[in-house]
Amino acid sequence: MRAIKGVITAPDVFEAVFEAHYEEIRRYIARRLDLGVAEDLAAETFLIAFRQRDRFDAVVGGVRPWLYGIATNLIGRHRRAEVRRYRALARTGPPPDEQSHDQRVVDRIAADVTVDRLAGALARLSQGERDVVLLVAYGELGYDEVATALGIATGTVASRLSRARTKLREVLG
């Protein structure tokens, strides 16, 4: 990467960052949320990164963990907004049912039990533990990269991952 004093400055340099990392970031978001949201949040990740590219400092960490950090923050913001929507829905009642009974049965049968168990187990983790597990599992980041992405110490990454593994073993066996 062409950088001046560790800062990505030129738009053509940022274009190379985008080309190198967009698909990886989109896949990470899709695994954490869903494909429909992943495209939008991946684009927003790079928009934020582009706008803040003068703040990137290679001395602090690499481009990859920096992008994962932005994406993880956007995922958290998306989930908080989703919780607010669900709470509002709980107050106002459900919308009219748009799916037929047959479609609901097909959807239920098509659901994968293993994915449901894993999602339930992940839901039981704290947000910090879940972020660490998913950055390691989906992002394939190392401890140092996860620490940089989340702005925490490497030791914190290790302890969160250890606690998360223990909890996941208890639930999943």
Side-chain angles (χ1 to χ4, degrees):
M1 295 278 137
R2 185 177 60 196
I4 300 172
K5 295 183 183 175
V7 177
I8 300 171
T9 56
D12 62 322
V13 173
F14 192 82
E15 182 180 354
V17 169
F18 177 86
E19 293 296 328
H21 299 288
Y22 176 80
E23 272 305 310
E24 177 181 359
I25 295 297
R26 187 193 59 76
R27 281 191 311 270
Y28 168 68
I29 295 169
R31 288 174 169 169
R32 299 243 359 226
L33 298 172
D34 67 50
L35 197 52
V37 176
E39 292 288 336
D40 292 339
L41 289 186
E44 191 172 349
T45 296
F46 283 91
L47 178 62
I48 290 168
F50 183 78
R51 288 180 178 160
Q52 296 179 358
R53 69 189 185 279
D54 60 323
R55 293 173 43 193
F56 170 74
D57 187 354
V59 174
V60 174
V63 171
R64 191 168 174 250
W66 179 58
L67 292 170
Y68 272 99
I70 294 169
T72 299
N73 288 337
L74 288 173
I75 289 166
R77 186 183 314 157
H78 174 81
R79 287 208 166 124
R80 287 187 296 277
E82 189 174 54
V83 166
R84 285 191 300 275
R85 282 192 301 274
Y86 286 140
R87 287 182 180 148
L89 182 60
R91 287 191 304 272
T92 61
D97 190 8
E98 296 175 7
Q99 282 189 328
S100 70
H101 174 72
D102 293 340
Q103 183 60 47
R104 285 193 306 274
V105 170
V106 168
D107 290 347
R108 224 178 334 209
I109 291 170
D112 184 351
V113 174
T114 304
V115 171
D116 290 344
R117 286 185 62 219
L118 180 58
L122 288 170
R124 291 184 178 140
L125 300 177
S126 71
Q127 183 67 46
E129 292 166 345
R130 188 170 37 255
D131 286 342
V132 168
V133 166
L134 295 175
L135 282 169
V136 169
Y138 291 160
E140 298 179 5
L141 298 182
Y143 285 30
D144 291 337
E145 291 175 309
V146 172
T148 300
L150 297 178
I152 59 177
T154 304
T156 304
V157 171
S159 64
R160 285 182 183 177
L161 191 56
S162 176
R163 282 194 307 271
R165 284 179 176 153
T166 299
K167 290 176 182 179
L168 291 172
R169 262 189 236 105
E170 289 172 2
V171 174
L172 300 174

